[in-house]
């Protein structure tokens, strides 16, 4: 019965989403790799969760291979050219690495979670701002929301993570979930902010020694999120780039096909791909 009810919810959600055909002037999202994104939004170029290391530059987290497991498809120089803002959900190396710290100008506007205030001070970013709740940056309203990066002992090990909700005039509302499991808090955020797009880290990651305790949404949790997503279109990232992520683009699409979720509702971009919003 639960599966039938979820299927109905997914169908209704997808149908409502397809009724949206509206695009927004100059709004787009480009997946760089993993959770690293370029948002063109409200006239600004925003870099989210920059992991800029070359292939294999970072240790293994899953006991399979060094990370990242694939190279960048976009050179770093054009990636960071003319940046207006950097947003970092948390300071784990797959969301802000040494290469990003070295490449980015220390004077760039940077928004981070309070738990990472000392980290960015130590890294020398003089315009880093720890966002407690919400603020207006330029012409964009930015809300910080909480994420749950695991359960039990694993959650204590992983620490604090956040997401961001962006709103601006004549722009889609975007919910960047960040590293999180599907929880009542995420469900509440969707109902509160009613986003047009939800960017979800669907990699199903685990850490070595705790393989039965996921730290990210996987296929089933992503389907549950879609069932509660309302009008929003879903953009799934954080796959096929790290050795501890068990959900792949192929496995997520297979699960979506089982639930008859169209690519118009659930978008799974390739590295370097741009989606017009």
């Amino acid at each position: 019965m639960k599966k039938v009810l979820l299927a109905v919810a997914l169908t209704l959600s997808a149908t409502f989403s397809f009724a949206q055909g509206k695009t927004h002037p100059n709004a787009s999202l480009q997946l760089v790799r993993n959770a690293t994104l370029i948002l063109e939004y409200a006239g600004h170029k925003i870099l989210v969760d920059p992991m800029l290391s070359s292939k294999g530059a970072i240790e293994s987290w899953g006991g399979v291979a060094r990370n990242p497991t694939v190279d960048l498809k976009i050179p770093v120089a054009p990636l960071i050219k003319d940046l207006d803002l950097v947003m970092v959900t948390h300071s784990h190396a797959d969301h802000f690495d040494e290469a990003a710290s070295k490449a980015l100008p220390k004077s760039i506007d940077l928004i981070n979670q309070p738990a990472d205030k000392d980290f960015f001070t130590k890294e020398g970013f003089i315009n880093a701002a720890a966002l407690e709740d919400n603020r207006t940056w330029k012409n964009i309203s930015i809300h910080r929301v909480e994420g749950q990066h695991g359960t039990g002992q694993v959650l204590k090990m992983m620490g604090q993570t956040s997401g961001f909700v962006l709103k601006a005039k004549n722009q889609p509302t975007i919910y960047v979930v960040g590293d999180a499991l599907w929880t009542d808090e995420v469900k509440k955020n969707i109902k509160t902010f009613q986003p047009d797009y939800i960017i979800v880290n669907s990699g199903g990651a685990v850490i070595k020694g705790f393989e039965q305790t996921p730290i990210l949404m996987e296929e089933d949790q992503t389907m549950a999120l879609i069932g509660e997503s309302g009008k929003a279109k879903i953009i799934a990232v954080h796959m096929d780039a790290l050795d501890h992520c068990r959900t792949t683009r192929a496995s997520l699409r297979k699960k979506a096909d089982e639930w008859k979720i169209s690519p118009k509702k659930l978008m799974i971009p390739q590295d370097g791909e741009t989606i017009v919003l």
Side-chain angles (χ1 to χ4, degrees):
M1 177 59 72
K2 282 182 69 178
K3 188 170 182 178
V4 172
L5 290 174
L6 180 57
V8 171
L10 290 171
T11 301
L12 290 174
S13 178
T15 302
F16 190 74
S17 177
F18 301 156
Q20 301 185 126
K22 187 177 181 181
T23 59
H24 302 80
N26 304 316
S28 66
L29 175 150
Q30 183 177 30
L31 173 61
V32 177
R33 180 185 59 189
N34 196 50
T36 304
L37 313 170
I38 289 287
L39 291 176
E40 294 287 350
Y41 190 79
H44 303 287
K45 182 179 179 180
I46 302 172
L47 176 63
V48 179
D49 282 356
M51 181 191 198
L52 304 181
S53 293
S54 58
K55 180 181 177 180
I58 301 174
E59 65 185 342
S60 166
W61 296 315
V64 178
R66 290 181 64 84
N67 291 300
T69 58
V70 294
D71 278 317
L72 286 169
K73 290 192 174 182
I74 307 166
V76 172
L79 186 65
I80 66 173
K81 183 181 179 182
D82 298 326
L83 270 183
D84 298 303
L85 176 67
V86 177
M87 300 180 65
V88 182
T89 60
H90 64 298
S91 58
H92 289 170
D94 56 329
H95 295 262
F96 192 92
D97 59 2
E98 184 179 354
S101 187
K102 289 181 177 178
L104 291 168
K106 298 300 184 182
S107 60
I108 190 73
D109 281 357
L110 190 151
I111 292 177
N112 54 275
Q113 63 175 359
D116 293 328
K117 181 178 180 180
D118 291 343
F119 172 86
F120 285 106
T121 297
K122 184 178 179 181
E123 292 296 310
F125 287 89
I126 60 175
N127 289 317
L131 181 60
E132 290 285 350
D133 184 15
N134 63 81
R135 64 170 289 192
T136 298
W137 177 86
K138 308 290 187 182
N139 55 337
I140 303 173
S141 172
I142 303 173
H143 296 256
R144 186 183 68 85
V145 294
E146 301 288 340
Q148 184 180 319
H149 202 4
T151 55
Q153 182 62 31
V154 169
L155 177 58
K156 294 178 182 178
M157 295 166 61
M158 299 309 294
Q160 179 71 46
T161 62
S162 295
F164 298 107
V165 179
L166 283 68
K167 292 175 171 282
K169 185 178 180 180
N170 297 323
Q171 298 287 287
T173 297
I174 300 175
Y175 177 15
V176 180
V177 178
D179 275 6
L181 300 176
W182 171 244
T183 61
D184 287 342
E185 185 70 18
V186 175
K187 181 178 177 179
K188 179 182 175 183
N189 291 335
I190 294 172
K191 292 185 180 300
T192 298
F193 295 103
Q194 298 183 27
D196 298 292
Y197 290 90
I198 302 172
I199 303 168
V200 56
N201 294 350
S202 295
V206 296
I207 56 176
K208 191 174 180 180
F210 296 88
E211 286 80 6
Q212 303 307 311
T213 307
I215 58 176
L216 293 180
M217 294 187 219
E218 29 71 283
E219 296 91 343
D220 288 332
Q221 290 199 8
T222 302
M223 294 303 107
L225 180 147
I226 293 172
E228 299 289 343
S229 63
K231 68 177 182 179
K233 295 184 179 181
I234 314 305
I235 302 174
V237 299
H238 208 306
M239 290 171 284
D240 298 326
L242 303 175
D243 82 320
H244 68 320
C245 287
R246 293 184 167 184
T247 298
T248 65
R249 292 182 177 99
S251 68
L252 186 61
R253 175 51 60 197
K254 180 181 178 182
K255 177 65 70 171
D257 288 345
E258 290 173 5
W259 288 102
K260 303 188 186 307
I261 304 302
S262 164
K264 293 181 180 180
K265 176 64 176 181
L266 172 62
M267 292 171 274
I268 310 174
Q270 299 293 319
D271 292 352
E273 184 177 344
T274 297
I275 297 172
V276 176
L277 305 178

